[in-house]
Amino acid sequence: TMKVTAMLSGPLLGSALVIGLVVSVFQAVTQINEATLTFIPKMVVVGIVLVLAAPWMMDILNHFTIELFEGIGEMVRIR
């Protein structure tokens, strides 16, 4: 479960991290202190990455769910 969670959240968090870093450097160079300047690009990029990675993410989640239901007999012990 932790591996699947990391795989699914990785692209979104990674893209937000990179854009946050780029915008922070831009703000430091230009000395612009605007809170929305960091928020809007992150939302746009995370949305684009979500749209592009959605088929892969759904495939991972589908595979995980199938494995979960196939192995539920081994995970739950009834006495």
Side-chain angles (χ1 to χ4, degrees):
T1 302
M2 296 298 287
K3 180 181 171 184
V4 171
T5 302
M7 287 176 61
L8 293 178
S9 64
L12 300 175
L13 294 175
S15 63
L17 177 72
V18 169
I19 291 301
L21 183 63
V22 168
V23 170
S24 295
V25 169
F26 176 74
Q27 283 182 327
V29 168
T30 60
Q31 296 181 351
I32 298 174
N33 285 329
E34 182 64 34
T36 58
L37 189 63
T38 60
F39 182 72
I40 301 297
K42 282 184 190 177
M43 291 299 292
V44 170
V45 170
V46 167
I48 291 170
V49 169
L50 184 61
V51 167
L52 293 176
W56 172 76
M57 294 169 84
M58 288 303 296
D59 186 46
I60 296 292
L61 197 57
N62 188 20
H63 183 66
F64 173 74
T65 305
I66 290 170
E67 284 185 10
L68 184 68
F69 282 130
E70 286 177 351
I72 202 161
E74 297 174 9
M75 293 178 210
V76 178
R77 296 178 192 236
I78 299 174
R79 294 181 184 196

